[in-house]
Amino acid sequence: MTFTHRLATRGDLPALATVVEAAIAELQKGFLDAGQIASSRAIMGIDTRLVDDGTYFVIEAEGRVAGCGGWSRRATLYGGDHSAGRDAALLDPAVDPAKVRAMYTHPDFARRGVGRRILSLCEAAARAEGFRTLELMATLSGRPLYEAAGFAPVEHLTDASGGAPVPLVRMRKAITVR
């Protein structure tokens, strides 16, 4: 199977919303209970600022969106357009970590390298802008991928803003200089 990537556009949002919903509904099973999965919908999603900033990628295969995800030079760590507490302040690459954001893989393409490809694209783009560290907020289902990619946990927390408390893990990784 051949995967391609490109930057997302606003026109992609309906297709991306379908991927987000499928990923939340299916890939969190075994990690979260039904209430936590429902609560996840309130705290996860796509932040269209990433699309507008040109830092959000679409991975395609067989004419379908296989996954999506991006990075940000802004302070918000996680959450979609509907999430409270977003902060659009620009980060200082010399001291602040770039944020890896809103990574989703369609269940039909899970465990085929989609997430690793997005992480690689994010790391290269952030490195090109002078960032030395990446940071993300991992779900329990995403944590194994991030650990395999070199991210280390720095904080465990829960977000109950969607109702049931959802466990999350803040993770970081130093960007290697090439």
Side-chain angles (χ1 to χ4, degrees), residues 1 5 8 11 36 39 54 57 86 91 106 110 119 133 163 170:
M1 180 173 308
H5 71 272
Q36 291 170 314
S39 183
F57 300 100
R86 294 164 21 124
L91 301 169
H106 191 284
L119 287 173
T133 308
R170 181 188 298 253

Side-chain angles (χ1 to χ4, degrees), residues 9 15 20 28 33 40 50 59 64 73 124 156 162 175:
T9 68
V20 170
Q28 293 191 90
D33 65 33
S40 293
L50 302 176
I59 306 294
R64 296 175 57 203
R73 59 183 77 83
H156 297 263
I175 296 177

Side-chain angles (χ1 to χ4, degrees), residues 7-145:
L7 290 173
T9 68
R10 287 267 178 158
D12 292 316
L13 293 175
L16 299 179
T18 299
V19 172
V20 170
E21 175 55 32
I24 290 171
E26 294 300 319
L27 299 181
Q28 293 191 90
K29 289 180 179 175
F31 295 92
L32 302 178
D33 65 33
Q36 291 170 314
I37 291 171
S39 183
S40 293
R41 290 180 178 92
I43 63 172
M44 297 178 186
I46 295 175
D47 181 342
T48 53
R49 183 176 295 276
L50 302 176
V51 175
D52 294 343
D53 283 349
T55 61
Y56 201 70
F57 300 100
V58 175
I59 306 294
E60 296 172 311
E62 301 174 351
R64 296 175 57 203
V65 175
C68 53
W71 72 281
S72 183
R73 59 183 77 83
R74 298 181 186 277
T76 299
L77 180 56
Y78 72 101
D81 285 347
H82 58 281
S83 302
R86 294 164 21 124
D87 184 351
L90 291 172
L91 301 169
D92 179 352
V95 296
D96 298 317
K99 312 301 184 193
V100 174
R101 305 273 319 278
M103 287 191 47
Y104 300 96
T105 300
H106 191 284
D108 292 347
F109 298 96
R111 292 165 191 75
R112 295 187 185 174
V114 173
R116 278 196 179 267
R117 185 162 187 171
I118 293 167
L119 287 173
S120 176
L121 292 166
C122 292
E123 183 172 337
R127 180 188 312 108
E129 289 200 19
F131 285 93
R132 295 182 250 178
T133 308
L134 293 175
E135 181 176 61
L136 57 81
M137 188 65 79
T139 60
L140 297 184
S141 61
R143 183 177 176 173
L145 166 68

